[in-house]
Amino acid sequence: MSTDANNSPKAPVDGPPPIRINRRTLLLGLGALGAIGGLGYWLTEGLPQNQGSAFATPLRIPPLLASEIIDGERVFHLSAQAGESELVPGVWFATMGFNGPHLGPTIRAARGEHVRIHVKNELTMATTAHWHGMSLPASQDGTAHQSISPETTWTAAWQIGQPAATLWYHPHPHGQTELQVSRGMAGLFLIDDDAPSGLPSQYGVDDIPLIIQDITVQSGGQRSGTPTTAPIGRIGNTVIANGTHEAHFVASTSLVRLRILNGSAARCYNLELSTGDTFHLVGTDGGLLPAPVPLTSLLLSPAERAEVLVTVSRDADLVLRSVPHDLGMSQADNAISGAGDTLGILRITRAGDASTAKLPASLASAAHPGRAAAVDRHFTLGDTTINGKAMDMSRIDTVIAANSTETWMIENASQRAHNFHIHGTQFVVNAVNGQSPAPQNRGWKDTIFIAPGSTAELTVPFGSFADPSTPYMYHCHMLWHEDQGMMAQYVLTDGEQAAATIHHDDTMHH
Ligand SMILES: [Cu+2]
């Protein structure tokens, strides 16, 4: 089988040449390099990456998590587990997941529903379950303030109060988030609403979840340690989609909706189709856009989501891949952070009897708030700090009136690429460096990439859940930075109410 991943007219002229290499050769090659250079993350550079392969393994689809209605609530059960997974044929990894050894099932609930989720910790270390992008009380948000000790269960319950969106869940334990997420603890959380979308919506058929992560293949199949000298954190040399290496999806329709999550700890993906064809962005972190936006490339930093429609014509054979991009750092830092890599992610072909579907002309998008005249708060990003401080779980950094809307200016004053995530809400990006943001940042967002020397101005409507003693987080979602303390806390209060002593909920005390 052949793909056109290696001969697209858009391939960079200075990129690595196509290499045909079988698995045995690859591993032997890695072993030889390892023997010369020791175990170093530099091994990820200059090696064949998903090239010249068949992309023949069927894309795994995370199962939908079963639920039952009890006393008017939709009740789910999750269990954090560790195990081993064959993420690359013949190569086993120590992994973590929910309800299995790697990744987690897809949770699905409708706007207006009351959900209750029991999370059991079967790991040997503390974990949490954070509902990324969700509007909910801070006490249910699953940060380190709601730590789940081994062999205990934590329960979160809230009413879904936001529009249809592709959210996700992942652990948020103090200082251990990179380890747990990069080992596979991540799942999608899909919100449905009543608005007719006209979009492909058959889960696993034409509505496809796609969790993209990078892993490191070395001789013997072990992952490398965290590369602390890399500016943005751990960068793997191999990419997987839903835990599938060199994945293949056979479309049974002419229009496929991909719900893409960058589930990596640090690696950014500049997505394009190997054919150079246009695809259509229909949704961002927090919901749908007013209308499909044609794009030929899309940069996703860790934790960001994009819903895209890919047209799969008869006889199509294309590869969704990540191509070189500029993270705004020095050439050396960009390279060591993976920005020069070309990585195949998912091959898509079409079944002969595929049905045809049409691109919707418009979508049901939630209206944006107006832009205020003045900035309410400034945040300066350092190497691993926010406003010069490292995270202190006992310090409340920001007190905000519930139901208020604020304008935040985020400035990356460091030499490192960062992004910025605010818990408990979705925001609108008014401007990046004073200019209208890129199309991919014009919808509702909860995480925004901010290059060195850049600013992002955000309009942030805060929630109604006043609780002066339980903080939400805002932080860099490059997880090594987060674990280093690039995180701060805000509380929502009623009017003039002052922040109270922080309430720390730990299942150990129950
Ligand atoms: Cu960062």
Side-chain angles (χ1 to χ4, degrees), residues 160-205:
I160 305 277
Q162 63 199 92
T166 300
L167 309 183
W168 66 300
Y169 63 96
H170 64 82
H172 216 291
H174 190 63
Q176 298 285 342
T177 299
E178 184 196 38
L179 172 78
Q180 295 186 6
V181 173
S182 63
R183 285 200 171 189
M185 292 181 75
L188 292 185
F189 197 133
L190 308 184
I191 297 177
D192 300 314
D193 65 20
D194 290 338
S197 73
L199 294 170
S201 56
Q202 264 191 288
Y203 183 82
V205 177

Side-chain angles (χ1 to χ4, degrees), residues 382-393:
D383 281 351
T384 56
T385 58
I386 297 175
N387 287 347
K389 294 177 189 164
M391 171 75 169
D392 179 346
M393 281 183 64

Side-chain angles (χ1 to χ4, degrees), residues 417-419 476 478 481 486:
H418 293 299
N419 66 13
C476 178
M478 291 179 174
H481 292 172
M486 194 166 184

